[in-house]
Amino acid sequence: MLLTHPLPLKAPHPYIDYTAGLLAARLAIIDPNKIKSELLHHHARANWGADVVAVENFGQAGLAASARTKPEIVLVSAHLPDIAPGDFITELKAAASKSRAILMMQHYSEYAIHHMGSSHYHGIICEREEGVAALGQVIQDVRNGLRVISPGISEFQNKLRVAHHSLVKLLTDRHLEVLTCITHSLSDAEIAVQLGCSPSTALGHRQQIMRKLNIRNTPKLIRFGLEKGFGSVPLPRRRDGNPAQS
């Protein structure tokens, strides 16, 4: 059973060769930022001695590559353009059941943390708070069977658990999906297609969300969604099985 093991706040000791355990680790890197993914690829090979078996910039391509190469560790951005991180991890488990996923987050919000709450990730690292050295330590710890979470993310999770009026407690999962669509400027008719419901049902959800949040019009609701990070979340999967369209 995986253990929760928050990262240390201080950098690893400079005289400890904590990357020695990364030799021959099979890594897949999935990140929409091509420069970052290429630099991470180079660093992993040159400094960690890792075997990088795949580098992809889209989630679906990353899943296909993971199914082919069966990496030990998958370093995946939590901000992929075509699939939400929780959905990616669920599909990764089916595509490469022994692969361990480490999510790399640039920023985090209530909905992002809520969406990943039940997913089977093995590590989460915040790129704004941790560096490459910390990432190497996370990979080693995950290989040793630990579940690793950056301190800032762990603290944020704890605050959400005790907050009585957090967004994810005010709104249902369906309302959160609708709010994501609204933040992406979808109309009620477009939301209906996306979520497999009628336009009148989509309108009803919109009105319920506005009432619960005490927001009186859609432009203010869109602004609220952007401020809460819903603009960086991919659209929910379409109920007809087709990829989401922004």
Side-chain angles (χ1 to χ4, degrees), residues 100-128:
R100 301 180 181 185
I102 298 174
L103 288 166
M104 303 180 292
M105 303 190 75
Q106 297 174 6
H107 48 78
Y108 42 90
S109 63
E110 288 184 45
Y111 183 49
I113 295 299
H114 170 73
H115 196 273
M116 293 187 300
S118 59
S119 61
H120 299 284
Y121 60 83
H122 295 80
I124 307 179
I125 185 167
C126 181
E127 297 170 329
R128 294 185 304 170

Side-chain angles (χ1 to χ4, degrees), residues 71-82:
E72 181 183 1
I73 300 290
V74 178
L75 301 177
V76 56
S77 170
H79 313 287
L80 295 170
D82 58 337

Side-chain angles (χ1 to χ4, degrees), residues 9-165:
L9 292 173
K10 295 182 179 179
H13 195 283
Y15 301 109
I16 297 177
D17 184 14
Y18 67 92
T19 60
L22 296 183
L23 294 176
R26 289 170 53 81
L27 303 181
I29 300 168
I30 305 167
D31 194 290
N33 187 319
K34 290 186 177 182
I35 293 176
K36 187 180 80 174
S37 59
E38 289 176 7
L39 287 173
L40 187 55
H41 178 193
H42 173 77
H43 184 88
R45 293 184 64 183
N47 296 283
W48 297 341
D51 179 15
V52 180
V53 297
V55 179
E56 298 290 349
N57 302 120
F58 289 88
Q60 294 298 338
L63 288 168
S66 297
R68 291 194 309 272
T69 61
K70 301 294 191 275
E72 181 183 1
I73 300 290
V74 178
L75 301 177
V76 56
S77 170
H79 313 287
L80 295 170
D82 58 337
I83 185 171
D87 294 333
F88 177 91
I89 293 173
T90 298
E91 294 191 23
L92 177 65
K93 190 175 181 180
S97 61
K98 295 184 179 180
S99 296
R100 301 180 181 185
I102 298 174
L103 288 166
M104 303 180 292
M105 303 190 75
Q106 297 174 6
H107 48 78
Y108 42 90
S109 63
E110 288 184 45
Y111 183 49
I113 295 299
H114 170 73
H115 196 273
M116 293 187 300
S118 59
S119 61
H120 299 284
Y121 60 83
H122 295 80
I124 307 179
I125 185 167
C126 181
E127 297 170 329
R128 294 185 304 170
E129 300 170 1
E130 311 289 348
V132 174
L135 178 59
Q137 184 174 344
V138 170
I139 295 172
Q140 181 174 337
D141 287 345
V142 168
R143 292 186 83 196
N144 290 334
L146 298 175
R147 196 182 205 201
V148 189
I149 305 173
S150 282
I153 296 176
S154 180
E155 182 181 355
F156 191 75
Q157 287 177 324
N158 291 333
K159 288 181 178 178
L160 286 181
R161 290 190 187 102
V162 300
H164 297 294
H165 301 291

